[in-house]
Amino acid sequence: MSTEPLAMSFPASSITQVAAGALIAAVQTAAARIGFTAAVAVTDPGGHLKAFDRADDAPFLTAEVAVDKAWTAASFRTPTHTWNNYLANPNIAPLGGHPRLMAVGGGYPIIDNGRCVGGLGISGGSYEQDQRAAEEALAALGFEVPTG
């Protein structure tokens, strides 16, 4: 039996509002260079919306998709494009029915010094374009770019 005291909580880190805004700006810059308009969502590590932006001519559905990609990435600490392989497993496939789970590229956990501090979701381009813009923006701000 351990004599160490029972840990009752742990410190949680979250992306700052300033960093969330900078990440959105970096995504919009990357999206413009790649050739698409985007909706961009940043959540805290619990999947709650922290910051959001939708380009003037981005389709309205991109807003909801971006938020759900960020939620999925933060919730499971894994990029959303990995979910297609996960959902092929019949033991995990029932999660595909969750209304917020987004198994489409463009969502990434925001990792700072090995800790998930939020989620990033991008929608508006192809899944490859969304992923590329996310990866470029995360790298530009010094966040880790998870592979999957």
Side-chain angles (χ1 to χ4, degrees):
M1 179 167 215
S2 175
T3 59
E4 293 185 31
L6 177 65
M8 301 300 282
S9 64
F10 64 92
S13 299
S14 183
I15 189 167
T16 66
Q17 186 65 37
V18 171
L23 193 53
I24 286 173
V27 168
Q28 292 295 19
T29 298
R33 190 185 49 66
I34 294 167
F36 71 100
T37 58
V40 186
V42 176
T43 67
D44 67 15
H48 305 285
L49 191 61
K50 181 83 174 197
F52 176 82
D53 181 62
R54 181 172 66 96
D56 288 336
D57 54 349
F60 70 89
L61 183 59
T62 62
E64 186 176 335
V65 172
V67 171
D68 288 347
K69 285 181 182 183
W71 177 88
T72 301
S75 295
F76 293 97
R77 314 297 199 249
T78 188
T80 54
H81 64 271
T82 63
W83 276 93
N84 285 310
N85 289 335
Y86 295 154
L87 294 176
N89 179 333
N91 294 318
I92 298 173
L95 285 175
H98 190 286
R100 293 200 66 187
L101 185 77
M102 203 43 70
V104 178
Y108 285 83
I110 303 169
I111 308 294
D112 184 32
N113 293 315
R115 297 188 72 176
C116 181
V117 297
L120 171 65
I122 301 169
S123 181
S126 67
Y127 73 89
E128 294 102 337
Q129 290 173 317
D130 292 348
Q131 282 181 233
R132 199 162 107 206
E135 291 172 0
E136 287 180 20
L138 289 167
L141 268 73
F143 291 111
E144 296 172 32
V145 180
T147 58

